[in-house]
Amino acid sequence: MPELPEVDTIVRDLRPLVVGHRLGRPTMRHHDVLRGITKPRFLAGLDGARIARLDRRAKHAVFTLARHGDAPRRLVVQPGMTGSLLVYDRALTDDERRYAVLRAPLDDGRELVYRDVRRIGRLYLLDEDGYARYDAAIGPEPLDPALDAAAFGRILGGSRQAVKKVLMDQRKLAGVGNIYANEALFAAGIDPSKPASRLAPAAHARLLDELRRILRAAIASQGTTFRDYRTGTGERGNFQLELFVYGREGEPCKVCGTRLGATHDIDARVTVFCHRCQR
DNA sequence: ACGAGGTCCTGCGAGC
DNA sequence: TGCTCGCAGGACCTCG
C-alpha cells in the first residue's frame, strides 16, 4: 500500500528509466481510474508528450509532460492501495495485461505501465493551474527541513481529532498513511487515540523526529511490501521486516513483550498499538 | 469550518 | 470441497 516511502522508491527507480523519453499512443483497459477528464482527452494528452520530470508529492507520482507547442501538463498517479508503475522491456504476460490499467509505449520500444488490481488508484492530467490547486490542497512534506517542530506542533495543536487521524490527513501533512502512522506513534510512545491538541510540545517534537527517522529508514529499505506493492523495478520492499506494530496484532511487543492490541475506532482503519509503551 | 461516515474496487481468507 | 461474506485501503464526496 504505497505511502510516502513506497512512492519515493518507485519515482527514484523510474526516473532514470523514463525521463527524457517520449510517449507513444497510450491505451487504457479501465478508465474508471480517471477523474475530471474523459478517456479520449486523457489519452490524447499523453500521446506524443515527452517526460520532462518525474517527482513525488505526498503519496503520488507526478510526471511533468512537455509537448511542442503545448503548455506543460502533469500526470498525477495516485497508486491507492494496489497500484504500481513499471517499465517493461518485453511483452507482457496474460496476468500483466489483465491488470494493466494504462499502457504507454516509450520511444525506444519499452513500455510504461500503470498496474492496479483493485483500482482504488486514480489518474489525473492537470494543466498548470490545476496542478497548483492540487498541490495547494496537500499539506507540507514531513521530510522537508522547512517543517520544524513548531510548525508540526501547530498542525497537531489545531485539531481535537485523534492524533493518528491528523497524521494521515493529507490536507494537514503529506504522505503518511496507516502503516507509518502506526509505527511513528509506537516509536514516539504516544496513544494513537489521544486528541492531537492535547499532546505536549515535547511529544510533538518526539513524534516528528520518530516519523522522519522511520520514513527515512523505510525509504532506505525500498518500502513495505505486504502483498501488492513493488518498487519501480518490480522488486519487493523490505521494511515489513522492521515493523514494530503494523500487522502484528496479538503478537508480543518487541520492546516490552506485552500482547499488542488493535482497534478500528480511528478513521475505520486498523490501529495496532502497545498498551504499555503508548500512553 | 469541521467532522463523521459512505463509496469505489477486487482478491483473499475465514467460516460454514 | 465449494460457497458466501467481510475486510483491506486513499481520496473524494455528501451530509449534519
Side-chain angles (χ1 to χ4, degrees), chain A residues 54-88:
Chain A
L54 175 56
D55 301 283
R56 179 190 61 75
R57 174 73 168 115
K59 306 170 188 174
H60 314 147
V62 181
F63 294 82
T64 301
L65 302 180
R67 192 162 51 188
H68 189 68
D70 286 357
R73 301 227 248 173
R74 314 274 185 153
L75 169 63
V76 176
V77 179
Q78 304 182 346
M81 186 183 179
T82 55
S84 49
L85 279 165
L86 299 160
V87 172
Y88 291 90

Short mmCIF file of all heavy atoms in Angstrom, two decimals, chain A residues 54-88:
data_model
loop_
_atom_site.label_atom_id
_atom_site.label_comp_id
_atom_site.label_asym_id
_atom_site.label_seq_id
_atom_site.Cartn_x
_atom_site.Cartn_y
_atom_site.Cartn_z
N LEU A 54 10.07 13.61 -13.34
CA LEU A 54 9.27 12.69 -12.53
C LEU A 54 9.57 12.97 -11.07
O LEU A 54 10.74 12.91 -10.66
CB LEU A 54 9.59 11.23 -12.88
CG LEU A 54 8.88 10.16 -12.03
CD1 LEU A 54 7.37 10.32 -12.05
CD2 LEU A 54 9.27 8.76 -12.50
N ASP A 55 8.55 13.33 -10.31
CA ASP A 55 8.73 13.69 -8.92
C ASP A 55 7.69 13.00 -8.05
O ASP A 55 6.73 12.43 -8.56
CB ASP A 55 8.57 15.22 -8.75
CG ASP A 55 9.55 15.99 -9.60
OD1 ASP A 55 10.73 16.06 -9.21
OD2 ASP A 55 9.15 16.50 -10.67
N ARG A 56 7.92 13.08 -6.75
CA ARG A 56 6.93 12.61 -5.79
C ARG A 56 6.31 13.78 -5.06
O ARG A 56 7.02 14.73 -4.72
CB ARG A 56 7.56 11.67 -4.75
CG ARG A 56 6.55 11.18 -3.71
CD ARG A 56 7.23 10.46 -2.56
NE ARG A 56 8.16 11.32 -1.83
CZ ARG A 56 7.81 12.28 -0.98
NH1 ARG A 56 6.54 12.50 -0.73
NH2 ARG A 56 8.72 13.01 -0.37
N ARG A 57 5.01 13.75 -4.85
CA ARG A 57 4.34 14.70 -3.96
C ARG A 57 3.39 13.86 -3.11
O ARG A 57 2.55 13.12 -3.66
CB ARG A 57 3.56 15.75 -4.77
CG ARG A 57 2.73 16.69 -3.93
CD ARG A 57 3.61 17.69 -3.18
NE ARG A 57 2.80 18.76 -2.60
CZ ARG A 57 2.68 18.96 -1.28
NH1 ARG A 57 3.33 18.19 -0.43
NH2 ARG A 57 1.95 19.95 -0.84
N ALA A 58 3.54 13.94 -1.79
CA ALA A 58 2.73 13.13 -0.87
C ALA A 58 2.88 11.64 -1.26
O ALA A 58 4.00 11.14 -1.36
CB ALA A 58 1.28 13.58 -0.88
N LYS A 59 1.78 10.95 -1.53
CA LYS A 59 1.86 9.53 -1.92
C LYS A 59 1.69 9.36 -3.41
O LYS A 59 1.30 8.30 -3.88
CB LYS A 59 0.73 8.73 -1.23
CG LYS A 59 0.67 8.86 0.27
CD LYS A 59 -0.61 8.24 0.79
CE LYS A 59 -0.78 8.52 2.27
NZ LYS A 59 -2.08 8.07 2.78
N HIS A 60 1.96 10.42 -4.17
CA HIS A 60 1.65 10.40 -5.59
C HIS A 60 2.90 10.60 -6.44
O HIS A 60 3.82 11.30 -6.03
CB HIS A 60 0.64 11.51 -5.92
CG HIS A 60 -0.50 11.59 -4.95
ND1 HIS A 60 -1.11 12.76 -4.61
CD2 HIS A 60 -1.12 10.61 -4.24
CE1 HIS A 60 -2.07 12.51 -3.74
NE2 HIS A 60 -2.10 11.23 -3.49
N ALA A 61 2.90 10.00 -7.61
CA ALA A 61 3.96 10.22 -8.59
C ALA A 61 3.47 11.28 -9.57
O ALA A 61 2.33 11.21 -10.04
CB ALA A 61 4.30 8.93 -9.32
N VAL A 62 4.32 12.25 -9.86
CA VAL A 62 3.94 13.36 -10.73
C VAL A 62 4.87 13.41 -11.95
O VAL A 62 6.06 13.69 -11.81
CB VAL A 62 3.99 14.71 -9.99
CG1 VAL A 62 3.57 15.85 -10.92
CG2 VAL A 62 3.10 14.67 -8.74
N PHE A 63 4.32 13.09 -13.11
CA PHE A 63 5.07 13.21 -14.37
C PHE A 63 4.82 14.60 -14.95
O PHE A 63 3.66 14.98 -15.12
CB PHE A 63 4.59 12.18 -15.39
CG PHE A 63 4.86 10.75 -15.03
CD1 PHE A 63 4.00 10.06 -14.17
CD2 PHE A 63 5.95 10.07 -15.56
CE1 PHE A 63 4.24 8.73 -13.84
CE2 PHE A 63 6.19 8.74 -15.23
CZ PHE A 63 5.34 8.07 -14.37
N THR A 64 5.88 15.32 -15.23
CA THR A 64 5.73 16.58 -15.96
C THR A 64 5.90 16.29 -17.44
O THR A 64 6.95 15.79 -17.86
CB THR A 64 6.78 17.62 -15.49
OG1 THR A 64 6.59 17.84 -14.09
CG2 THR A 64 6.60 18.93 -16.25
N LEU A 65 4.85 16.58 -18.20
CA LEU A 65 4.83 16.23 -19.62
C LEU A 65 4.99 17.50 -20.47
O LEU A 65 4.32 18.50 -20.22
CB LEU A 65 3.51 15.55 -19.99
CG LEU A 65 3.18 14.28 -19.21
CD1 LEU A 65 1.84 13.71 -19.67
CD2 LEU A 65 4.28 13.23 -19.38
N ALA A 66 5.87 17.42 -21.45
CA ALA A 66 6.09 18.56 -22.35
C ALA A 66 5.81 18.11 -23.77
O ALA A 66 6.15 16.99 -24.16
CB ALA A 66 7.53 19.06 -22.22
N ARG A 67 5.16 18.99 -24.53
CA ARG A 67 4.92 18.67 -25.92
C ARG A 67 5.06 19.97 -26.70
O ARG A 67 4.55 21.00 -26.27
CB ARG A 67 3.52 18.06 -26.10
CG ARG A 67 3.31 17.44 -27.47
CD ARG A 67 2.13 16.49 -27.46
NE ARG A 67 0.95 17.11 -26.89
CZ ARG A 67 -0.18 16.45 -26.63
NH1 ARG A 67 -0.27 15.16 -26.87
NH2 ARG A 67 -1.21 17.07 -26.12
N HIS A 68 5.72 19.88 -27.83
CA HIS A 68 6.00 21.08 -28.61
C HIS A 68 4.72 21.86 -28.88
O HIS A 68 3.73 21.30 -29.35
CB HIS A 68 6.68 20.70 -29.93
CG HIS A 68 7.17 21.89 -30.68
ND1 HIS A 68 8.23 22.66 -30.22
CD2 HIS A 68 6.76 22.46 -31.82
CE1 HIS A 68 8.45 23.64 -31.06
NE2 HIS A 68 7.57 23.55 -32.05
N GLY A 69 4.73 23.14 -28.53
CA GLY A 69 3.58 23.98 -28.81
C GLY A 69 2.52 23.97 -27.71
O GLY A 69 1.60 24.78 -27.74
N ASP A 70 2.65 23.04 -26.74
CA ASP A 70 1.67 22.96 -25.65
C ASP A 70 2.27 23.48 -24.35
O ASP A 70 3.47 23.37 -24.13
CB ASP A 70 1.24 21.50 -25.40
CG ASP A 70 0.31 20.98 -26.48
OD1 ASP A 70 -0.05 21.78 -27.38
OD2 ASP A 70 -0.04 19.80 -26.43
N ALA A 71 1.41 23.99 -23.47
CA ALA A 71 1.85 24.28 -22.11
C ALA A 71 2.12 22.94 -21.41
O ALA A 71 1.49 21.94 -21.75
CB ALA A 71 0.78 25.06 -21.37
N PRO A 72 3.07 22.90 -20.48
CA PRO A 72 3.35 21.65 -19.78
C PRO A 72 2.12 21.15 -19.02
O PRO A 72 1.30 21.93 -18.57
CB PRO A 72 4.48 22.00 -18.82
CG PRO A 72 4.53 23.48 -18.77
CD PRO A 72 3.92 23.99 -20.03
N ARG A 73 2.01 19.85 -18.89
CA ARG A 73 0.92 19.24 -18.14
C ARG A 73 1.50 18.24 -17.15
O ARG A 73 2.61 17.76 -17.31
CB ARG A 73 -0.03 18.52 -19.09
CG ARG A 73 -0.61 19.49 -20.11
CD ARG A 73 -2.07 19.31 -20.22
NE ARG A 73 -2.44 18.77 -21.52
CZ ARG A 73 -3.69 18.40 -21.81
NH1 ARG A 73 -4.63 18.48 -20.91
NH2 ARG A 73 -3.98 17.93 -22.99
N ARG A 74 0.70 17.93 -16.15
CA ARG A 74 1.16 16.98 -15.12
C ARG A 74 0.26 15.76 -15.11
O ARG A 74 -0.97 15.90 -15.01
CB ARG A 74 1.10 17.62 -13.73
CG ARG A 74 1.67 19.01 -13.66
CD ARG A 74 3.15 19.01 -13.44
NE ARG A 74 3.59 20.39 -13.26
CZ ARG A 74 4.66 20.73 -12.57
NH1 ARG A 74 5.42 19.82 -12.00
NH2 ARG A 74 4.99 22.00 -12.45
N LEU A 75 0.88 14.62 -15.20
CA LEU A 75 0.17 13.36 -15.00
C LEU A 75 0.40 12.95 -13.55
O LEU A 75 1.52 12.64 -13.16
CB LEU A 75 0.72 12.29 -15.94
CG LEU A 75 0.26 10.85 -15.67
CD1 LEU A 75 -1.25 10.70 -15.84
CD2 LEU A 75 1.00 9.87 -16.57
N VAL A 76 -0.67 13.01 -12.75
CA VAL A 76 -0.57 12.64 -11.34
C VAL A 76 -1.09 11.22 -11.18
O VAL A 76 -2.23 10.93 -11.55
CB VAL A 76 -1.36 13.61 -10.44
CG1 VAL A 76 -1.33 13.16 -8.99
CG2 VAL A 76 -0.81 15.03 -10.58
N VAL A 77 -0.26 10.35 -10.64
CA VAL A 77 -0.63 8.95 -10.40
C VAL A 77 -0.75 8.73 -8.90
O VAL A 77 0.23 8.87 -8.17
CB VAL A 77 0.42 7.99 -10.99
CG1 VAL A 77 0.05 6.54 -10.70
CG2 VAL A 77 0.60 8.23 -12.48
N GLN A 78 -1.97 8.43 -8.46
CA GLN A 78 -2.21 8.09 -7.06
C GLN A 78 -2.38 6.59 -6.99
O GLN A 78 -3.45 6.08 -7.35
CB GLN A 78 -3.49 8.77 -6.55
CG GLN A 78 -3.50 10.29 -6.71
CD GLN A 78 -4.77 10.92 -6.16
OE1 GLN A 78 -5.75 10.24 -5.89
NE2 GLN A 78 -4.76 12.23 -6.01
N PRO A 79 -1.39 5.84 -6.54
CA PRO A 79 -1.47 4.38 -6.64
C PRO A 79 -2.51 3.75 -5.72
O PRO A 79 -2.79 2.57 -5.86
CB PRO A 79 -0.06 3.92 -6.25
CG PRO A 79 0.80 5.12 -6.39
CD PRO A 79 -0.08 6.29 -6.07
N GLY A 80 -3.06 4.55 -4.81
CA GLY A 80 -4.07 3.97 -3.93
C GLY A 80 -3.50 2.82 -3.13
O GLY A 80 -2.48 2.97 -2.48
N MET A 81 -4.14 1.70 -3.17
CA MET A 81 -3.66 0.58 -2.36
C MET A 81 -2.85 -0.42 -3.19
O MET A 81 -1.83 -0.93 -2.72
CB MET A 81 -4.85 -0.13 -1.75
CG MET A 81 -4.45 -1.20 -0.79
SD MET A 81 -5.90 -2.02 -0.19
CE MET A 81 -5.14 -3.23 0.87
N THR A 82 -3.29 -0.70 -4.38
CA THR A 82 -2.67 -1.80 -5.15
C THR A 82 -2.04 -1.33 -6.46
O THR A 82 -1.74 -2.14 -7.32
CB THR A 82 -3.71 -2.89 -5.46
OG1 THR A 82 -4.83 -2.28 -6.15
CG2 THR A 82 -4.20 -3.57 -4.21
N GLY A 83 -1.86 -0.03 -6.61
CA GLY A 83 -1.30 0.48 -7.86
C GLY A 83 0.22 0.39 -7.89
O GLY A 83 0.88 0.51 -6.87
N SER A 84 0.77 0.17 -9.08
CA SER A 84 2.22 0.23 -9.24
C SER A 84 2.58 0.73 -10.64
O SER A 84 1.81 0.56 -11.58
CB SER A 84 2.88 -1.13 -8.96
OG SER A 84 2.23 -2.16 -9.66
N LEU A 85 3.72 1.35 -10.74
CA LEU A 85 4.24 1.86 -12.01
C LEU A 85 5.45 1.03 -12.39
O LEU A 85 6.36 0.84 -11.59
CB LEU A 85 4.65 3.33 -11.86
CG LEU A 85 3.53 4.37 -11.93
CD1 LEU A 85 4.03 5.70 -11.41
CD2 LEU A 85 3.02 4.52 -13.36
N LEU A 86 5.45 0.54 -13.62
CA LEU A 86 6.52 -0.35 -14.05
C LEU A 86 6.92 -0.03 -15.48
O LEU A 86 6.10 0.43 -16.27
CB LEU A 86 6.06 -1.81 -13.97
CG LEU A 86 5.67 -2.31 -12.58
CD1 LEU A 86 4.79 -3.54 -12.67
CD2 LEU A 86 6.91 -2.61 -11.74
N VAL A 87 8.18 -0.31 -15.81
CA VAL A 87 8.64 -0.19 -17.19
C VAL A 87 9.02 -1.59 -17.67
O VAL A 87 9.78 -2.29 -17.00
CB VAL A 87 9.86 0.76 -17.30
CG1 VAL A 87 10.45 0.71 -18.70
CG2 VAL A 87 9.44 2.18 -16.95
N TYR A 88 8.46 -1.98 -18.79
CA TYR A 88 8.74 -3.31 -19.35
C TYR A 88 9.60 -3.17 -20.60
O TYR A 88 9.37 -2.29 -21.42
CB TYR A 88 7.44 -4.02 -19.73
CG TYR A 88 6.59 -4.42 -18.54
CD1 TYR A 88 5.63 -3.56 -18.03
CD2 TYR A 88 6.75 -5.67 -17.95
CE1 TYR A 88 4.85 -3.94 -16.95
CE2 TYR A 88 5.97 -6.05 -16.87
CZ TYR A 88 5.03 -5.18 -16.37
OH TYR A 88 4.26 -5.55 -15.30
#
